Amino acid sequence: MAETGMLRFHVPEPEVRPGGTPDFSDVTIAKAGSVPRPEIEVDPRDIRDMAFSIIRVLNRAGEAVGPWAGLLSDDELLEGLRHMMTLRSFDARMQMAQRQGKTSFYMQHLGEEAVSCAFRKALASGDMNFPTYRQAGLLIADGYPMVTMMNQIYSNEADPLKGRQLPIMYSSKEHGFFSISGNLATQYIQAVGWAMASAISNDSKIAAAWIGDGSTAESDFHSALVFASTYKAPVVLNVVNNQWAISTFQGIARGGSGTFAARGLGFGIPSLRVDGNDYLAVHAVAKWAAERARKNLGPTLVEYVTYRVGAHSSSDDPSAYRPKAESDAWPLGDPIVRLKNHLIQRGVWSDERHTQAEAEILETVIAAQREAERHGTLHAGGKPSARDMFEGVYAEMPPHLRRQRQQAGV
Ligand SMILES: Cc1ncc(C[n+]2csc(CCOP(=O)(O)OP(=O)(O)O)c2C)c(N)n1
Ligand SMILES: [Mg+2]
């Protein structure tokens, strides 16, 4: 019988805290290949259970199995591996550059490389991502120059955004990467609005919204789902569940809903969960969702189940709130190791070639870094002009800004 009397307030708590033994035994993981692949025209009511399972392609033996397998050629997979390795190498160098005082701030993707790298390959040119700060793989996998990213990280004279953005908040219309807003969840309403505009103007381009587990607690997330579902906007709604929102565990934003994907069910949106550390599964699900958007079947919500192995940012110390070895216990493994093992299993890759590729990629990253540093770093060398901060916001500069610019003498 239900207890009566004194009311109790509930605050979800993570299973383990620093000093404890990591335990993910309560994370239910579907067998690779076991989740069916419905037709894109499927009635959302018939696939509600997919919001509670996990689509996986790569099994423990490194084989690609089940109905979501077989979409990518060996060459495409080798390219995908290279993109993820490049992002990891880039991250390591830039994290180090931050520690050396060459930039003020950095955010890594460690453990989450498959999500953005594989997703980019499911989009077409002209489609628009509304990313957060943890999707630089969208740029790397689309061939955006690393040196341009570094110029921005260093806020140097060649910074394409001229020092007006946070170091890692890139922007490239040509590469379908909308300027990142630090205000989380705004990406969702912007993406849905952009997608609606694309449909209103009878264009063929789709949008992709990005959000983290923690940020789904923002009301913008929910408002965006209302518009996306009512107007069947051509948008893919991505939720990256990396288990943490800085020091807050995912159970706070998830509440009692069961999964983040399940949030979409109340809106009648087809909602899928996918193994975010499985390059093949991420790509296959992204492709399915993108196709639905392109065929006017409306939005799809995709939850990528992954783990943030690194710190939240260069300003964060995760040992204060989670066990040090927690990432080793994460049951879905490492995205690079898993794709590497798959390619070895297919006979198109080897440990030797992998080690050699690592060295080559590091050289390319270092060469880009040298080039960027010739244009300056945070406290050395060339800087954007103070005049630049007055430009590029208004089509016509308002009088008060013109006066300020004159006062600054730039
Ligand atoms: C609207 C808003 N509230 C708070 C913040 C501060 N903030 C920056 S990152 C972050 C955690 C976000 O976690 P999550 O959404 O899970 O994304 P992750 O960093 O794990 O990729 C918070 C609270 C912000 N940038 N914007
Ligand atoms: Mg998170």
Side-chain angles (χ1 to χ4, degrees):
M1 211 166 87
E3 222 181 296
T4 52
M6 194 144 34
L7 298 172
R8 279 205 214 101
F9 186 69
H10 176 63
V11 180
E13 273 288 332
E15 296 283 333
V16 201
R17 284 294 191 186
T21 309
D23 179 13
F24 288 110
S25 55
D26 62 329
V27 181
T28 319
I29 295 170
K31 220 171 133 208
S34 66
V35 178
R37 183 177 191 276
E39 294 301 317
I40 55 169
E41 294 83 6
V42 70
D43 185 330
R45 287 171 298 189
D46 295 338
I47 56 163
R48 288 172 68 89
D49 55 339
M50 292 183 87
F52 301 95
S53 191
I54 301 188
I55 298 165
R56 302 176 64 229
V57 171
L58 294 174
N59 67 15
R60 276 181 207 284
E63 296 152 341
V65 295
W68 297 86
L71 292 186
L72 292 166
S73 68
D74 287 340
D75 281 347
E76 286 168 326
L77 290 174
L78 286 166
E79 191 194 29
L81 180 67
R82 185 165 281 270
H83 290 151
M84 291 199 288
M85 291 169 76
T86 303
L87 178 56
R88 187 165 292 185
S89 183
F90 180 92
D91 268 351
R93 293 297 297 187
M94 292 297 98
Q95 175 77 7
M96 207 189 320
Q98 193 278 336
R99 295 296 189 240
Q100 292 165 339
K102 293 174 180 173
T103 179
S104 53
F105 182 70
Y106 193 69
M107 297 181 94
Q108 296 193 85
H109 306 73
L110 195 60
E112 297 177 46
E113 291 88 347
V115 177
S116 52
C117 289
F119 186 86
R120 176 64 249 187
K121 289 302 182 186
L123 290 186
S125 162
D127 294 341
M128 186 60 74
N129 285 285
F130 290 76
T132 78
Y133 42 69
R134 230 182 285 284
Q135 280 93 44
L138 295 171
L139 288 173
I140 299 261
D142 201 50
Y144 187 75
M146 269 191 284
V147 64
T148 312
M149 294 165 79
M150 289 168 170
N151 286 334
Q152 182 173 339
I153 289 167
Y154 290 148
S155 308
N156 65 23
E157 65 192 7
D159 171 359
L161 301 186
K162 303 178 169 150
R164 294 174 298 196
Q165 257 286 33
L166 265 171
I168 40 80
M169 295 204 174
Y170 316 105
S171 168
S172 171
K173 191 173 184 179
E174 300 70 39
H175 291 271
F177 195 95
F178 201 87
S179 312
I180 299 179
S181 164
N183 303 330
L184 293 168
T186 52
Q187 292 76 19
Y188 253 59
I189 44 177
Q190 290 167 4
V192 172
W194 193 96
M196 286 166 62
S198 186
I200 289 166
S201 53
N202 299 321
D203 206 333
S204 59
K205 300 176 181 76
I206 63 166
W210 291 89
I211 202 166
D213 45 275
S215 307
T216 61
E218 281 287 335
S219 50
D220 278 351
F221 173 71
H222 304 268
S223 315
L225 295 194
V226 172
F227 279 78
S229 62
T230 299
Y231 299 110
K232 289 199 185 302
V235 62
V236 182
L237 303 165
N238 296 310
V239 178
V240 183
N241 175 7
N242 63 4
Q243 312 304 316
W244 291 94
I246 315 185
S247 57
T248 303
F249 91 114
Q250 48 81 29
I252 297 279
R254 183 171 53 81
S257 80
T259 68
F260 290 97
R263 295 272 196 237
L265 297 181
F267 295 89
I269 297 176
S271 303
L272 281 58
R273 284 178 101 218
V274 55
D275 178 345
N277 292 10
D278 178 336
Y279 185 95
L280 287 85
V282 169
H283 173 266
V285 170
K287 196 93 193 151
W288 191 88
E291 221 172 295
R292 289 192 76 257
R294 228 178 279 290
K295 297 231 166 99
N296 284 315
L297 294 165
T300 308
L301 194 146
V302 184
E303 175 185 346
Y304 303 88
V305 183
T306 182
Y307 185 87
R308 193 198 78 212
V309 176
H312 170 73
S313 72
S314 53
S315 312
D316 174 45
D317 172 15
S319 70
Y321 54 82
R322 65 183 192 189
K324 280 209 172 77
E326 193 176 83
S327 63
D328 300 336
W330 177 243
L332 294 174
D334 177 89
I336 295 182
V337 173
R338 285 176 67 193
L339 184 53
K340 171 191 165 194
N341 289 343
H342 174 58
L343 291 165
I344 291 176
Q345 187 271 333
R346 287 188 62 77
V348 295
W349 199 238
S350 65
D351 279 316
E352 297 70 41
R353 285 172 76 176
H354 194 84
T355 310
Q356 195 187 333
E358 259 172 354
E360 283 166 14
I361 287 166
L362 178 59
E363 243 172 70
T364 321
V365 175
I366 291 174
Q369 192 177 4
R370 282 210 194 97
E371 193 184 332
E373 290 186 9
R374 276 200 287 274
H375 292 289
T377 59
L378 181 61
H379 296 298
K383 288 194 180 8
S385 154
R387 188 188 168 88
D388 294 332
M389 74 178 159
F390 294 96
E391 309 283 350
V393 178
Y394 294 98
E396 268 177 54
M397 195 180 295
H400 72 283
L401 286 186
R402 213 172 304 133
R403 269 198 306 279
Q404 286 178 20
R405 194 181 67 185
Q406 275 159 6
Q407 277 166 13
V410 289

